[in-house]
Coordinates of all heavy atoms in Angstrom, one line a residue:
M1026 N -26.7 57.2 -46.9 CA -27.4 56.3 -45.9 C -28.8 56.8 -45.6 O -29.1 58.0 -45.7 CB -26.6 56.4 -44.5 CG -27.2 55.5 -43.4 SD -26.4 55.5 -41.9 CE -24.8 54.8 -42.3
A1027 N -29.7 55.8 -45.5 CA -31.0 56.1 -45.3 C -31.3 56.8 -44.0 O -30.6 56.6 -43.0 CB -31.9 54.9 -45.3
E1028 N -32.3 57.7 -44.0 CA -32.7 58.4 -42.8 C -33.6 57.6 -41.8 O -34.5 57.0 -42.3 CB -33.4 59.7 -43.2 CG -33.7 60.7 -42.1 CD -34.2 62.0 -42.5 OE1 -33.7 62.5 -43.5 OE2 -35.1 62.6 -41.9
L1029 N -33.3 57.6 -40.6 CA -34.1 56.9 -39.6 C -35.4 57.6 -39.4 O -35.6 58.8 -39.4 CB -33.4 56.9 -38.3 CG -32.2 56.0 -38.1 CD1 -31.4 56.2 -36.7 CD2 -32.5 54.6 -38.4
L1030 N -36.4 56.7 -39.2 CA -37.8 57.2 -39.0 C -38.0 57.7 -37.5 O -37.3 57.1 -36.7 CB -38.8 56.1 -39.2 CG -38.9 55.7 -40.6 CD1 -39.8 54.4 -40.7 CD2 -39.4 56.7 -41.6
T1031 N -38.8 58.7 -37.3 CA -39.1 59.1 -35.9 C -40.1 58.1 -35.2 O -40.7 57.4 -35.9 CB -39.7 60.5 -35.8 OG1 -41.0 60.5 -36.5 CG2 -38.7 61.5 -36.6
D1032 N -40.2 58.1 -33.9 CA -41.2 57.3 -33.3 C -42.6 57.6 -33.7 O -43.4 56.7 -33.9 CB -41.0 57.5 -31.7 CG -39.8 56.9 -31.1 OD1 -39.1 56.0 -31.7 OD2 -39.4 57.3 -30.0
D1033 N -42.9 58.9 -34.0 CA -44.2 59.3 -34.4 C -44.4 58.7 -35.8 O -45.6 58.2 -36.1 CB -44.4 60.8 -34.5 CG -44.5 61.4 -33.1 OD1 -44.8 60.6 -32.2 OD2 -44.3 62.6 -33.0
Q1034 N -43.5 58.7 -36.7 CA -43.6 58.2 -38.0 C -43.8 56.6 -38.0 O -44.7 56.0 -38.7 CB -42.4 58.5 -38.9 CG -42.3 59.9 -39.3 CD -41.0 60.2 -40.0 OE1 -39.9 59.8 -39.5 NE2 -41.0 60.8 -41.1
I1035 N -43.1 56.0 -37.1 CA -43.3 54.5 -37.0 C -44.6 54.1 -36.3 O -45.3 53.3 -36.8 CB -42.1 53.9 -36.0 CG1 -40.8 54.1 -36.7 CG2 -42.4 52.5 -35.6 CD1 -39.6 53.9 -35.8
D1036 N -45.0 54.9 -35.3 CA -46.4 54.7 -34.7 C -47.5 54.9 -35.7 O -48.5 54.1 -35.8 CB -46.6 55.6 -33.6 CG -45.8 55.3 -32.3 OD1 -45.2 54.2 -32.3 OD2 -45.6 56.1 -31.4
A1037 N -47.4 55.8 -36.6 CA -48.4 56.1 -37.6 C -48.4 55.0 -38.6 O -49.5 54.5 -39.1 CB -48.2 57.5 -38.3
A1038 N -47.2 54.5 -39.0 CA -47.2 53.4 -40.0 C -47.8 52.2 -39.4 O -48.5 51.5 -40.1 CB -45.7 53.2 -40.4
L1039 N -47.5 51.9 -38.3 CA -48.1 50.7 -37.6 C -49.7 50.8 -37.5 O -50.3 49.9 -37.8 CB -47.5 50.4 -36.2 CG -46.0 50.0 -36.1 CD1 -45.5 50.1 -34.7 CD2 -45.8 48.7 -36.8
R1040 N -50.1 51.9 -37.1 CA -51.5 52.2 -36.9 C -52.2 52.2 -38.3 O -53.3 51.6 -38.4 CB -51.7 53.5 -36.2 CG -53.2 53.9 -36.0 CD -53.4 55.3 -35.4 NE -52.9 56.3 -36.3 CZ -51.8 57.1 -36.1 NH1 -51.1 57.0 -35.0 NH2 -51.5 58.0 -36.9
D1041 N -51.6 52.8 -39.3 CA -52.4 53.1 -40.5 C -52.2 52.0 -41.6 O -53.0 51.8 -42.5 CB -52.0 54.4 -41.1 CG -52.4 55.6 -40.2 OD1 -53.3 55.4 -39.3 OD2 -51.8 56.6 -40.3
H1042 N -51.0 51.4 -41.6 CA -50.7 50.5 -42.7 C -50.2 49.1 -42.3 O -50.1 48.2 -43.1 CB -49.6 51.1 -43.6 CG -50.0 52.4 -44.1 ND1 -51.0 52.7 -45.0 CD2 -49.5 53.7 -43.7 CE1 -51.1 54.0 -45.2 NE2 -50.2 54.7 -44.5
L1043 N -49.7 48.9 -41.1 CA -49.0 47.7 -40.8 C -49.6 47.2 -39.3 O -48.7 47.0 -38.4 CB -47.5 47.9 -40.6 CG -46.8 48.4 -41.9 CD1 -45.4 48.9 -41.6 CD2 -46.8 47.3 -42.9
P1044 N -50.8 46.9 -39.2 CA -51.4 46.6 -38.0 C -50.9 45.2 -37.4 O -51.0 44.9 -36.2 CB -52.9 46.6 -38.2 CG -53.0 46.3 -39.7 CD -51.8 47.0 -40.3
E1045 N -50.3 44.3 -38.3 CA -49.9 43.0 -37.9 C -48.5 43.1 -37.3 O -48.0 42.1 -36.8 CB -49.9 42.0 -39.1 CG -51.3 41.9 -39.7 CD -52.3 41.2 -38.7 OE1 -51.9 40.4 -37.9 OE2 -53.5 41.6 -38.8
W1046 N -47.8 44.2 -37.4 CA -46.4 44.3 -37.0 C -46.3 45.0 -35.6 O -47.1 45.7 -35.2 CB -45.7 45.2 -38.1 CG -45.6 44.5 -39.4 CD1 -46.5 44.5 -40.4 CD2 -44.5 43.8 -39.9 NE1 -46.1 43.8 -41.5 CE2 -44.9 43.3 -41.1 CE3 -43.3 43.4 -39.4 CZ2 -44.0 42.5 -42.0 CZ3 -42.4 42.7 -40.2 CH2 -42.8 42.2 -41.4
K1047 N -45.2 44.7 -35.0 CA -44.8 45.4 -33.8 C -43.4 45.7 -33.8 O -42.6 45.2 -34.6 CB -45.2 44.5 -32.5 CG -44.4 43.2 -32.5 CD -44.9 42.3 -31.3 CE -44.3 41.0 -31.5 NZ -44.7 40.1 -30.4
V1048 N -43.0 46.7 -33.0 CA -41.6 47.0 -32.9 C -40.9 46.3 -31.7 O -41.4 46.4 -30.6 CB -41.4 48.6 -32.8 CG1 -39.9 49.0 -32.6 CG2 -42.0 49.3 -34.0
V1049 N -39.9 45.6 -32.0 CA -39.1 44.9 -31.0 C -37.6 45.2 -31.3 O -37.1 44.9 -32.4 CB -39.3 43.4 -31.0 CG1 -38.5 42.7 -30.0 CG2 -40.8 43.1 -30.9
D1050 N -36.9 45.8 -30.3 CA -35.5 46.0 -30.4 C -35.1 46.7 -31.7 O -34.2 46.3 -32.5 CB -34.6 44.7 -30.3 CG -34.8 44.1 -28.9 OD1 -35.0 44.8 -27.9 OD2 -34.7 42.8 -28.9
N1051 N -35.8 47.8 -32.0 CA -35.6 48.7 -33.2 C -35.8 48.0 -34.5 O -35.1 48.3 -35.5 CB -34.0 49.2 -33.1 CG -34.0 50.7 -33.0 OD1 -35.0 51.4 -33.0 ND2 -32.8 51.2 -32.9
A1052 N -36.7 47.0 -34.5 CA -37.0 46.3 -35.7 C -38.5 46.1 -35.8 O -39.2 46.0 -34.8 CB -36.3 45.0 -35.8
L1053 N -39.1 46.0 -37.0 CA -40.4 45.5 -37.2 C -40.5 44.0 -37.2 O -39.6 43.4 -37.9 CB -41.0 46.0 -38.5 CG -41.1 47.6 -38.7 CD1 -41.4 47.9 -40.2 CD2 -42.1 48.1 -37.8
V1054 N -41.4 43.4 -36.5 CA -41.5 42.0 -36.4 C -43.0 41.6 -36.5 O -43.9 42.2 -36.0 CB -41.1 41.5 -34.9 CG1 -41.2 40.1 -34.8 CG2 -39.6 42.0 -34.6
R1055 N -43.1 40.5 -37.3 CA -44.4 40.0 -37.6 C -44.2 38.4 -37.8 O -43.3 38.0 -38.5 CB -45.1 40.5 -38.9 CG -46.4 39.8 -39.2 CD -47.1 40.2 -40.4 NE -48.3 39.5 -40.5 CZ -49.0 39.4 -41.6 NH1 -48.7 40.1 -42.6 NH2 -50.1 38.7 -41.6
S1056 N -45.2 37.7 -37.2 CA -45.2 36.2 -37.4 C -46.5 35.9 -38.2 O -47.5 36.5 -38.1 CB -45.3 35.4 -36.1 OG -44.1 35.6 -35.4
V1057 N -46.2 34.9 -39.1 CA -47.4 34.5 -40.0 C -47.4 33.0 -39.9 O -46.4 32.3 -40.0 CB -47.1 34.8 -41.5 CG1 -48.1 34.3 -42.4 CG2 -46.9 36.3 -41.7
E1058 N -48.6 32.5 -39.6 CA -48.8 31.0 -39.6 C -49.5 30.6 -40.8 O -50.6 31.1 -41.2 CB -49.7 30.6 -38.3 CG -49.7 29.1 -38.2 CD -50.4 28.7 -36.9 OE1 -50.4 29.5 -35.9 OE2 -50.8 27.5 -36.8
K1059 N -48.9 29.7 -41.5 CA -49.5 29.1 -42.8 C -50.1 27.8 -42.5 O -49.9 27.1 -41.5 CB -48.4 29.0 -43.8 CG -47.8 30.3 -44.2 CD -48.7 31.4 -44.6 CE -49.2 31.2 -46.0 NZ -50.1 32.3 -46.5
S1060 N -50.9 27.3 -43.4 CA -51.7 26.0 -43.1 C -50.8 24.8 -43.2 O -51.1 23.8 -42.6 CB -52.9 25.9 -44.1 OG -52.4 25.9 -45.4
T1061 N -49.7 24.9 -44.0 CA -48.8 23.7 -44.0 C -47.4 24.3 -44.1 O -47.1 25.4 -44.3 CB -48.9 22.9 -45.4 OG1 -48.5 23.7 -46.5 CG2 -50.4 22.5 -45.6
F1062 N -46.4 23.3 -43.8 CA -45.0 23.7 -43.8 C -44.6 24.2 -45.1 O -43.9 25.2 -45.3 CB -44.2 22.4 -43.4 CG -42.7 22.7 -43.5 CD1 -42.0 23.4 -42.5 CD2 -42.0 22.2 -44.5 CE1 -40.7 23.7 -42.6 CE2 -40.6 22.3 -44.6 CZ -39.9 23.1 -43.6
M1063 N -45.0 23.5 -46.2 CA -44.6 23.9 -47.6 C -45.3 25.3 -47.9 O -44.6 26.0 -48.6 CB -45.1 22.9 -48.5 CG -44.2 21.6 -48.5 SD -42.4 21.9 -48.5 CE -42.2 22.7 -50.1
D1064 N -46.5 25.6 -47.4 CA -47.0 27.0 -47.6 C -46.1 28.0 -47.0 O -45.8 29.1 -47.6 CB -48.4 27.2 -47.2 CG -49.4 26.4 -47.9 OD1 -49.1 26.1 -49.1 OD2 -50.5 26.2 -47.4
G1065 N -45.5 27.7 -45.9 CA -44.6 28.6 -45.2 C -43.2 28.8 -46.0 O -42.7 29.9 -46.1
I1066 N -42.8 27.7 -46.5 CA -41.5 27.7 -47.3 C -41.8 28.6 -48.6 O -40.9 29.3 -49.0 CB -41.1 26.3 -47.6 CG1 -40.7 25.6 -46.3 CG2 -39.9 26.2 -48.6 CD1 -39.6 26.3 -45.5
R1067 N -43.0 28.4 -49.2 CA -43.3 29.2 -50.4 C -43.3 30.6 -50.1 O -42.9 31.5 -50.8 CB -44.5 28.6 -51.0 CG -44.4 27.4 -51.9 CD -45.7 27.0 -52.6 NE -46.6 26.4 -51.8 CZ -46.7 25.1 -51.5 NH1 -45.7 24.3 -52.0 NH2 -47.6 24.5 -50.8
L1068 N -43.8 31.0 -48.9 CA -43.9 32.4 -48.5 C -42.5 32.9 -48.3 O -42.1 34.0 -48.7 CB -44.7 32.5 -47.2 CG -44.7 33.9 -46.6 CD1 -45.2 35.0 -47.5 CD2 -45.4 33.9 -45.2
V1069 N -41.6 32.1 -47.7 CA -40.3 32.5 -47.5 C -39.6 32.8 -48.8 O -38.9 33.8 -49.1 CB -39.5 31.5 -46.7 CG1 -38.0 31.8 -46.7 CG2 -40.0 31.4 -45.2
A1070 N -39.8 31.9 -49.9 CA -39.2 32.0 -51.1 C -39.7 33.3 -51.8 O -38.9 34.0 -52.5 CB -39.5 30.8 -52.0
T1071 N -40.9 33.6 -51.7 CA -41.5 34.9 -52.3 C -40.9 36.1 -51.7 O -40.5 37.0 -52.3 CB -43.0 34.8 -52.1 OG1 -43.6 33.7 -52.8 CG2 -43.7 36.1 -52.7
V1072 N -40.8 36.1 -50.3 CA -40.3 37.2 -49.6 C -38.8 37.4 -49.9 O -38.3 38.5 -50.1 CB -40.5 37.1 -48.1 CG1 -39.6 38.1 -47.3 CG2 -41.9 37.3 -47.8
A1073 N -38.1 36.2 -50.1 CA -36.6 36.3 -50.4 C -36.4 37.0 -51.8 O -35.6 37.8 -52.0 CB -36.0 34.9 -50.5
Q1074 N -37.3 36.6 -52.8 CA -37.2 37.3 -54.0 C -37.5 38.8 -54.0 O -36.8 39.5 -54.6 CB -38.1 36.6 -55.0 CG -37.7 35.2 -55.5 CD -38.7 34.6 -56.3 OE1 -39.9 34.9 -56.4 NE2 -38.3 33.5 -57.0
L1075 N -38.5 39.2 -53.2 CA -38.8 40.6 -53.1 C -37.6 41.3 -52.4 O -37.2 42.4 -52.8 CB -40.0 40.7 -52.2 CG -41.4 40.3 -52.8 CD1 -42.5 40.2 -51.8 CD2 -41.8 41.4 -53.9
A1076 N -37.1 40.7 -51.3 CA -36.0 41.4 -50.6 C -34.8 41.5 -51.5 O -34.1 42.5 -51.5 CB -35.7 40.5 -49.4
E1077 N -34.5 40.5 -52.2 CA -33.3 40.6 -53.1 C -33.6 41.6 -54.2 O -32.6 42.4 -54.4 CB -33.1 39.2 -53.9 CG -31.9 39.1 -54.6 CD -30.6 39.1 -53.8 OE1 -30.7 38.9 -52.5 OE2 -29.5 39.3 -54.3
S1078 N -34.7 41.8 -54.7 CA -35.0 42.9 -55.7 C -34.8 44.3 -55.1 O -34.4 45.2 -55.8 CB -36.3 42.7 -56.3 OG -37.4 43.0 -55.5
M1079 N -35.0 44.4 -53.7 CA -35.0 45.7 -53.1 C -33.5 45.8 -52.5 O -33.2 47.0 -52.0 CB -35.9 45.7 -51.9 CG -37.4 45.8 -52.2 SD -38.4 45.8 -50.7 CE -37.9 47.4 -50.0
N1080 N -32.7 44.7 -52.5 CA -31.4 44.8 -51.8 C -31.6 45.1 -50.3 O -30.8 45.9 -49.8 CB -30.4 45.6 -52.5 CG -29.0 45.3 -52.0 OD1 -28.7 44.2 -51.6 ND2 -28.1 46.3 -52.0
H1081 N -32.7 44.6 -49.7 CA -33.0 44.9 -48.4 C -33.5 43.6 -47.7 O -34.7 43.3 -48.1 CB -34.0 46.1 -48.2 CG -34.2 46.6 -46.9 ND1 -33.1 47.1 -46.1 CD2 -35.3 46.7 -46.1 CE1 -33.6 47.5 -44.9 NE2 -34.9 47.3 -44.9
H1082 N -32.8 42.9 -46.9 CA -33.1 41.6 -46.5 C -33.6 41.5 -45.0 O -32.8 41.9 -44.2 CB -31.9 40.7 -46.7 CG -31.4 40.8 -48.2 ND1 -30.5 41.7 -48.5 CD2 -31.8 40.1 -49.3 CE1 -30.2 41.7 -49.9 NE2 -31.0 40.7 -50.3
P1083 N -34.7 40.8 -44.9 CA -35.2 40.6 -43.4 C -34.5 39.4 -42.8 O -33.9 38.5 -43.5 CB -36.7 40.3 -43.7 CG -36.7 39.6 -44.9 CD -35.7 40.3 -45.8
D1084 N -34.5 39.3 -41.5 CA -34.2 38.1 -40.8 C -35.5 37.3 -40.8 O -36.6 37.8 -40.6 CB -33.8 38.4 -39.3 CG -32.5 39.2 -39.2 OD1 -31.7 39.1 -40.1 OD2 -32.4 39.8 -38.2
I1085 N -35.3 36.0 -41.1 CA -36.4 35.1 -41.2 C -36.2 33.9 -40.4 O -35.2 33.2 -40.4 CB -36.7 34.6 -42.7 CG1 -36.8 35.9 -43.6 CG2 -37.8 33.7 -42.8 CD1 -36.9 35.5 -45.1
D1086 N -37.2 33.6 -39.5 CA -37.1 32.5 -38.6 C -38.3 31.5 -38.9 O -39.5 31.9 -39.0 CB -37.3 32.9 -37.2 CG -37.2 31.7 -36.2 OD1 -36.2 31.1 -36.1 OD2 -38.2 31.5 -35.5
I1087 N -38.0 30.2 -39.2 CA -39.0 29.3 -39.7 C -39.1 28.3 -38.5 O -38.2 27.6 -38.1 CB -38.5 28.5 -41.0 CG1 -38.3 29.5 -42.1 CG2 -39.6 27.4 -41.3 CD1 -37.6 28.9 -43.3
R1088 N -40.3 28.1 -38.0 CA -40.7 27.2 -37.0 C -41.9 26.4 -37.4 O -43.0 26.8 -37.1 CB -41.0 27.9 -35.6 CG -39.9 28.8 -35.1 CD -38.7 28.0 -34.6 NE -37.6 28.9 -34.3 CZ -36.8 28.8 -33.4 NH1 -37.0 27.8 -32.5 NH2 -35.8 29.7 -33.2
Y1089 N -41.7 25.3 -38.1 CA -42.8 24.5 -38.8 C -43.6 25.3 -39.6 O -43.2 25.8 -40.7 CB -43.5 23.7 -37.6 CG -44.5 22.7 -38.2 CD1 -44.3 22.0 -39.3 CD2 -45.8 22.7 -37.6 CE1 -45.2 21.1 -39.7 CE2 -46.7 21.8 -38.0 CZ -46.4 21.0 -39.1 OH -47.4 20.1 -39.6
R1090 N -44.8 25.7 -39.2 CA -45.8 26.5 -40.0 C -45.8 28.0 -39.7 O -46.5 28.7 -40.4 CB -47.2 26.0 -39.9 CG -47.4 24.5 -40.4 CD -48.8 24.0 -40.2 NE -49.3 24.1 -38.8 CZ -50.4 24.5 -38.5 NH1 -51.3 25.0 -39.3 NH2 -50.8 24.6 -37.2
T1091 N -45.0 28.4 -38.8 CA -45.0 29.8 -38.3 C -43.6 30.4 -38.8 O -42.5 29.9 -38.5 CB -45.1 29.9 -36.7 OG1 -46.3 29.3 -36.4 CG2 -45.0 31.4 -36.4
I1092 N -43.8 31.5 -39.5 CA -42.7 32.2 -40.1 C -42.6 33.6 -39.4 O -43.6 34.3 -39.5 CB -42.8 32.4 -41.7 CG1 -43.2 31.1 -42.4 CG2 -41.5 33.0 -42.2 CD1 -42.3 29.9 -42.1
T1093 N -41.5 33.9 -38.9 CA -41.4 35.3 -38.2 C -40.3 36.1 -39.1 O -39.2 35.6 -39.4 CB -40.9 35.1 -36.8 OG1 -41.9 34.3 -36.1 CG2 -40.8 36.5 -36.1
F1094 N -40.8 37.3 -39.4 CA -40.0 38.2 -40.2 C -39.6 39.3 -39.2 O -40.3 39.8 -38.5 CB -40.8 38.8 -41.3 CG -41.2 37.8 -42.4 CD1 -42.5 37.2 -42.2 CD2 -40.3 37.3 -43.3 CE1 -43.0 36.3 -43.2 CE2 -40.8 36.3 -44.2 CZ -42.1 35.8 -44.1
K1095 N -38.2 39.7 -39.3 CA -37.7 40.9 -38.6 C -37.0 41.8 -39.5 O -36.1 41.4 -40.3 CB -36.7 40.3 -37.5 CG -36.1 41.4 -36.7 CD -35.2 40.8 -35.6 CE -34.6 42.0 -34.8 NZ -33.6 41.4 -33.8
V1096 N -37.5 43.0 -39.6 CA -37.1 44.0 -40.6 C -36.5 45.1 -40.0 O -37.2 45.8 -39.2 CB -38.3 44.4 -41.5 CG1 -37.8 45.4 -42.6 CG2 -39.0 43.2 -42.2
T1097 N -35.3 45.5 -40.3 CA -34.6 46.6 -39.8 C -33.4 47.1 -40.8 O -33.1 46.2 -41.6 CB -34.0 46.5 -38.4 OG1 -33.6 47.7 -37.8 CG2 -32.9 45.5 -38.3
N1098 N -33.0 48.2 -40.6 CA -31.9 48.7 -41.5 C -30.6 48.6 -40.6 O -30.4 49.6 -39.8 CB -32.1 50.0 -42.1 CG -31.1 50.5 -43.1 OD1 -29.9 50.4 -42.9 ND2 -31.6 51.0 -44.2
H1099 N -29.8 47.6 -40.8 CA -28.7 47.4 -39.9 C -27.6 48.6 -40.1 O -27.0 49.0 -39.2 CB -28.0 46.1 -40.2 CG -28.9 44.9 -39.9 ND1 -29.2 44.5 -38.6 CD2 -29.6 44.1 -40.7 CE1 -30.0 43.5 -38.6 NE2 -30.2 43.2 -39.9
E1100 N -27.5 49.0 -41.3 CA -26.6 50.1 -41.7 C -26.9 51.4 -41.0 O -26.1 52.1 -40.5 CB -26.4 50.3 -43.1 CG -25.7 49.2 -43.8 CD -25.6 49.4 -45.4 OE1 -26.0 50.5 -45.8 OE2 -25.1 48.4 -46.1
A1101 N -28.3 51.7 -41.0 CA -28.8 52.9 -40.4 C -28.9 52.8 -38.9 O -29.0 53.8 -38.3 CB -30.0 53.4 -41.1
G1102 N -29.0 51.6 -38.5 CA -29.1 51.4 -37.0 C -30.5 51.6 -36.5 O -30.8 52.0 -35.3
G1103 N -31.5 51.2 -37.3 CA -32.9 51.4 -36.9 C -33.9 51.3 -38.1 O -33.5 50.7 -39.1
L1104 N -35.0 51.8 -37.9 CA -36.1 51.7 -39.0 C -36.1 52.9 -40.0 O -35.9 54.1 -39.6 CB -37.5 51.6 -38.3 CG -37.7 50.4 -37.5 CD1 -39.0 50.4 -36.7 CD2 -37.6 49.1 -38.4
T1105 N -36.2 52.6 -41.3 CA -36.2 53.5 -42.4 C -37.5 53.3 -43.2 O -38.1 52.3 -43.0 CB -34.9 53.5 -43.2 OG1 -35.0 52.3 -43.9 CG2 -33.7 53.6 -42.4
D1106 N -37.7 54.2 -44.2 CA -38.7 53.9 -45.2 C -38.7 52.6 -45.9 O -39.6 52.0 -46.1 CB -38.8 55.1 -46.3 CG -39.4 56.4 -45.6 OD1 -40.3 56.3 -44.9 OD2 -39.0 57.5 -46.1
D1107 N -37.4 52.2 -46.2 CA -37.3 50.9 -46.8 C -37.9 49.7 -46.0 O -38.4 48.8 -46.5 CB -35.8 50.6 -47.1 CG -35.2 51.4 -48.2 OD1 -35.9 52.0 -49.0 OD2 -33.9 51.5 -48.3
D1108 N -37.7 49.8 -44.7 CA -38.3 48.8 -43.8 C -39.9 48.8 -43.9 O -40.5 47.7 -44.0 CB -37.9 49.0 -42.4 CG -36.4 49.0 -42.3 OD1 -35.8 48.0 -42.6 OD2 -35.8 50.0 -41.8
L1109 N -40.4 50.0 -44.0 CA -41.9 50.0 -44.1 C -42.4 49.4 -45.5 O -43.3 48.7 -45.6 CB -42.4 51.5 -44.0 CG -42.1 52.2 -42.7 CD1 -42.6 53.7 -42.8 CD2 -42.6 51.4 -41.5
V1110 N -41.6 49.7 -46.5 CA -41.9 49.2 -47.8 C -41.9 47.6 -47.9 O -42.7 47.0 -48.3 CB -41.0 49.8 -48.9 CG1 -41.2 49.2 -50.2 CG2 -41.3 51.3 -49.1
L1111 N -40.7 47.2 -47.3 CA -40.6 45.7 -47.3 C -41.6 45.0 -46.4 O -42.2 44.0 -46.8 CB -39.2 45.3 -46.8 CG -38.8 43.9 -46.7 CD1 -39.1 43.2 -48.0 CD2 -37.5 43.7 -46.1
A1112 N -42.0 45.6 -45.3 CA -43.1 45.1 -44.5 C -44.4 45.0 -45.2 O -45.1 44.0 -45.1 CB -43.2 45.9 -43.2
R1113 N -44.7 46.1 -46.0 CA -45.9 46.1 -46.7 C -45.9 44.9 -47.8 O -46.9 44.2 -48.1 CB -46.1 47.4 -47.4 CG -46.7 48.4 -46.4 CD -47.1 49.7 -47.1 NE -46.9 50.8 -46.2 CZ -46.0 51.8 -46.4 NH1 -45.3 51.8 -47.5 NH2 -45.9 52.7 -45.5
H1114 N -44.7 44.8 -48.4 CA -44.6 43.7 -49.4 C -44.7 42.3 -48.7 O -45.4 41.4 -49.3 CB -43.2 43.7 -50.1 CG -43.1 44.8 -51.2 ND1 -43.9 45.0 -52.2 CD2 -42.0 45.7 -51.3 CE1 -43.5 46.0 -52.9 NE2 -42.4 46.4 -52.4
I1115 N -44.2 42.2 -47.5 CA -44.4 40.9 -46.8 C -45.8 40.7 -46.5 O -46.4 39.5 -46.7 CB -43.6 40.8 -45.5 CG1 -42.0 40.8 -45.9 CG2 -44.0 39.7 -44.7 CD1 -41.1 41.0 -44.8
D1116 N -46.6 41.7 -46.1 CA -48.0 41.6 -45.8 C -48.8 41.1 -47.1 O -49.6 40.2 -47.0 CB -48.6 42.9 -45.4 CG -48.3 43.2 -43.9 OD1 -47.9 42.4 -43.2 OD2 -48.5 44.4 -43.5
T1117 N -48.4 41.7 -48.3 CA -49.0 41.3 -49.5 C -48.8 39.8 -49.8 O -49.7 39.1 -50.1 CB -48.6 42.2 -50.6 OG1 -49.0 43.6 -50.3 CG2 -49.2 41.8 -51.9
A1118 N -47.5 39.5 -49.6 CA -47.2 38.1 -50.0 C -47.9 37.1 -49.0 O -48.2 36.0 -49.4 CB -45.6 37.9 -49.9
A1119 N -48.0 37.5 -47.7 CA -48.6 36.7 -46.7 C -50.1 36.5 -46.9 O -50.7 35.5 -46.5 CB -48.3 37.2 -45.3
G1120 N -50.7 37.4 -47.7 CA -52.1 37.3 -48.0 C -53.0 37.7 -46.9 O -53.0 37.8 -45.8

């Protein structure tokens, strides 16, 4: 099982690498607004492929042009290095 990150590790990651993300209920959360609905759907498809390749899947909420990603490790019960990696991939995909 993956090792949980400490609060200090999470704070450093948010500050140094993931400024668009926040921690809510033991998960990393970020919303992205795209210019069109279809741009949002393409982002979801890209993230889905990345997540599948990692075997680490975010919760995804689609609200017209706003896509919200929630990343956590359900098995570990909190945030792990895998969550940070997936969040960085989502940032790259979001542009």
Side-chain angles (χ1 to χ4, degrees):
M1026 181 180 298
E1028 188 173 318
L1029 291 175
L1030 298 172
T1031 66
D1032 288 341
D1033 288 341
Q1034 290 171 311
I1035 295 166
D1036 291 342
L1039 292 173
R1040 181 185 63 244
D1041 298 339
H1042 305 290
L1043 301 168
E1045 303 293 327
W1046 293 81
K1047 60 186 173 183
V1048 176
V1049 177
D1050 296 330
N1051 243 359
L1053 294 174
V1054 177
R1055 178 183 179 192
S1056 293
V1057 177
E1058 186 171 341
K1059 300 305 280 182
S1060 59
T1061 69
F1062 176 74
M1063 288 309 299
D1064 286 343
I1066 295 302
R1067 282 188 279 277
L1068 173 60
V1069 169
T1071 299
V1072 169
Q1074 290 175 342
L1075 291 165
E1077 188 66 16
S1078 72
M1079 291 179 65
N1080 194 31
H1081 191 57
H1082 305 91
D1084 293 337
I1085 302 172
D1086 181 61
I1087 303 167
R1088 305 287 170 144
Y1089 184 43
R1090 296 180 302 132
T1091 302
I1092 314 303
T1093 301
F1094 299 97
K1095 182 177 178 184
V1096 179
T1097 192
N1098 189 312
H1099 298 286
E1100 290 178 7
L1104 295 172
T1105 66
D1106 282 326
D1107 287 345
D1108 300 303
L1109 301 180
V1110 170
L1111 181 55
R1113 283 189 213 113
H1114 284 310
I1115 291 170
D1116 282 350
T1117 299

